[in-house]
Amino acid sequence: MSNIALGIDSLIPALPSIGETFLASTPTQLGWIITSIFIGLGIGEIIFGPLSDSIGRKKSILIGAFIFMTGLIISLKSETLNIMLLGRVIQGIGASSFRTVSISIITDSFKGTKMNKVMSSVMSVFLLIPMIAPVIGQLLNNSFNWKAIILFQILFFLTTILWFYTRQRETLVTSNRIPLSRKNFKKNFNEFKRSRPTILYTLILGLIEGVFILYLSSYSDIFKIHYGLQNNFLFVFFILSIILIISTLSNRLLLNKYTPTIIIRRSLQALLVVSSMYFILFLLYSSVSLSVYVVLTVLQFLSIGLIFGNATSLAMNRITHIAGIGSSIHNFLVMILGTLISVLYSFMSNSPNTNLFLGFLISSALSMITLIIYNLKNEKDID
């Protein structure tokens, strides 16, 4: 899964250099270099879940690895922005196998609270890469060029896929495999639809994912242009990434005392309060200082770190018997919803900073409203 984060975050510091190569200068054009991989992830999610239920988890990831490598090579050899975007979409399709099938491997191996804790640990590792990837990308871009970043991604990918091939056992026994057919997909899709907690947490994750994608595609502009941090913005990003990791790690401790539903509810409440504070400050002063911005963002990231792992676990808890297809549909909906929301948020104003905090406010408010309505109608099903 770390290859997904590396593929996204390591290129962010090099976006201006890529723009110069392909004569793309606007934030929207450069943002598509990040957004395109999410489109590929969304497409691939719906493919690899059913495939992994049919042929097994390990083979599915190896097929995804081949597609991922193909996308990396296309991006490396691209001579136009459109060809690079095509490579990024293909890269995302391959990478979707890492995300979808990894979740299926966890649901094959663990249940209940244990699964929640393992999911938190996986998210911590997944979030470690965004902490260091921009630094690596900046160093490689400054020392060589942006193509050196893609070469590093290839080297990292080959190392991790070799480790996976030699160390990971197959977790889906032959007797539990589901033949790949339209009938089976339709049957399991109907099971997914009938699981109301799964639909609830898929929707909440999609809303939060949307604003997180927006953050990944716009934070460079926010720190460099709005706050003038030409050389130090990576340090701020480093601090924010550490906060995400601390949040996901602390979730293991919180699960010993609180249920995942309580943690999610309190995190959404905190996210809504912090986003409202920024909105009020924006109305009063039209902008906020860098220190205030960082403090508010830190508080938001603490909440997001607690939401991701717990909501994913609760979404999958009721559909572990269709883990591959269930994970596929869940991740597909989260990714597509998140990508669409991030695009909509990016057009709210000409200020990426304003769009980001308004996005946090809208997503947290809608998530809380959805959770409240669900609790009123289905309180006994919430866990």
Side-chain angles (χ1 to χ4, degrees):
M1 288 179 71
S2 58
N3 282 285
I4 302 174
L6 184 66
I8 296 168
D9 296 291
S10 61
L11 274 181
I12 291 175
L15 288 181
S17 299
I18 297 173
E20 291 176 6
T21 301
F22 298 127
L23 302 178
S25 57
T26 68
T28 301
Q29 287 178 309
L30 297 179
W32 275 107
I33 296 172
I34 304 302
T35 305
S36 57
I37 196 170
F38 285 101
I39 294 173
L41 284 167
I43 295 170
E45 303 285 8
I46 208 68
I47 299 171
F48 283 101
L51 186 66
S52 73
D53 277 344
S54 176
I55 67 173
R57 314 302 189 204
K58 195 167 184 178
K59 287 182 181 177
S60 298
I61 285 187
L62 293 176
I63 292 172
F66 176 79
I67 297 172
F68 182 79
M69 186 67 179
T70 301
L72 280 172
I73 293 173
I74 291 174
S75 296
L76 180 66
K77 297 294 185 178
S78 59
E79 296 182 357
T80 67
L81 179 61
N82 288 336
I83 295 299
M84 182 175 189
L85 294 180
L86 173 64
R88 297 283 285 172
V89 171
I90 294 172
Q91 189 179 340
I93 292 173
S96 66
S97 68
F98 311 152
R99 174 177 170 136
T100 297
V101 183
S102 293
I103 292 176
S104 299
I105 289 173
I106 293 172
T107 55
D108 288 341
S109 308
F110 306 98
K111 308 296 178 187
T113 302
K114 181 64 174 176
M115 184 173 75
N116 294 336
K117 291 183 177 181
V118 172
M119 201 72 76
S120 293
S121 298
V122 170
M123 288 300 296
S124 298
V125 175
F126 179 65
L127 293 170
L128 175 65
I129 298 300
M131 183 176 72
I132 60 176
V135 178
I136 295 172
Q138 183 80 61
L139 290 173
L140 289 172
N141 187 56
N142 290 345
S143 302
F144 305 98
N145 54 46
W146 61 268
K147 291 192 174 184
I149 301 174
I150 298 181
L151 287 172
F152 178 82
Q153 291 178 16
I154 292 173
L155 178 62
F156 182 85
F157 163 70
L158 291 175
T159 302
T160 54
I161 201 64
L162 178 63
W163 181 91
F164 172 84
Y165 179 77
T166 56
R167 300 294 299 274
Q168 177 63 52
R169 65 179 179 84
E170 176 58 60
T171 59
L172 184 65
V173 296
T174 304
S175 59
N176 290 337
R177 295 183 185 181
I178 303 172
L180 194 61
S181 70
R182 182 184 300 178
K183 180 180 177 181
N184 284 330
F185 182 85
K186 184 177 180 180
K187 175 187 174 183
N188 291 319
F189 180 71
N190 288 332
E191 281 199 54
F192 180 94
K193 289 193 300 181
R194 286 194 293 268
S195 177
R196 289 173 293 184
T198 300
I199 296 297
L200 168 70
Y201 293 112
T202 298
L203 179 58
I204 289 175
L205 280 168
L207 288 166
I208 302 302
E209 181 89 356
V211 77
F212 190 67
I213 292 173
L214 180 64
Y215 169 77
L216 290 176
S217 62
S218 61
Y219 83 88
S220 178
D221 285 336
I222 291 173
F223 289 124
K224 282 186 173 181
I225 299 174
H226 189 80
Y227 289 109
L229 295 180
Q230 295 297 325
N231 299 317
N232 299 321
F233 83 100
L234 286 178
F235 175 74
V236 178
F237 180 74
F238 181 85
I239 296 298
L240 295 176
S241 299
I242 288 177
I243 296 301
L244 265 177
I245 293 173
I246 292 173
S247 179
T248 53
L249 288 174
S250 65
N251 188 54
R252 291 178 62 90
L253 300 176
L254 291 173
L255 285 168
N256 293 326
K257 187 174 182 179
Y258 304 103
T259 65
T261 53
I262 291 176
I263 296 173
I264 290 173
R265 185 167 63 249
R266 296 288 183 254
S267 298
L268 285 173
Q269 289 170 346
L271 190 60
L272 180 57
V273 169
V274 174
S275 300
S276 299
M277 289 172 58
Y278 179 88
F279 185 65
I280 292 170
L281 289 172
F282 176 78
L283 290 177
L284 293 174
Y285 303 106
S286 299
S287 184
V288 296
S289 66
L290 177 62
S291 58
V292 172
Y293 175 84
V294 170
V295 169
L296 293 176
T297 306
V298 163
L299 295 174
Q300 288 176 320
F301 273 39
L302 283 170
S303 301
I304 289 174
L306 294 173
I307 291 169
F308 275 153
N310 287 304
T312 301
S313 296
L314 289 175
M316 296 300 299
N317 265 341
R318 297 292 184 89
I319 55 171
T320 54
H321 58 295
I322 54 167
I325 293 177
S327 175
S328 178
I329 297 170
H330 164 75
N331 287 327
F332 172 78
L333 293 175
V334 169
M335 190 59 60
I336 293 300
L337 181 59
T339 302
L340 290 174
I341 288 173
S342 69
V343 172
L344 289 174
Y345 287 169
S346 68
F347 288 108
M348 287 192 296
S349 76
N350 293 324
S351 169
N353 197 12
T354 302
N355 291 341
L356 188 61
F357 270 88
L358 279 176
F360 274 120
L361 178 60
I362 295 170
S363 285
S364 57
L366 290 176
S367 296
M368 277 302 305
I369 291 170
T370 303
L371 190 59
I372 291 170
I373 293 173
Y374 182 90
N375 280 333
L376 292 174
K377 293 184 176 181
N378 310 280
E379 187 172 352
K380 65 179 181 180
D381 288 334
I382 194 68
D383 291 321

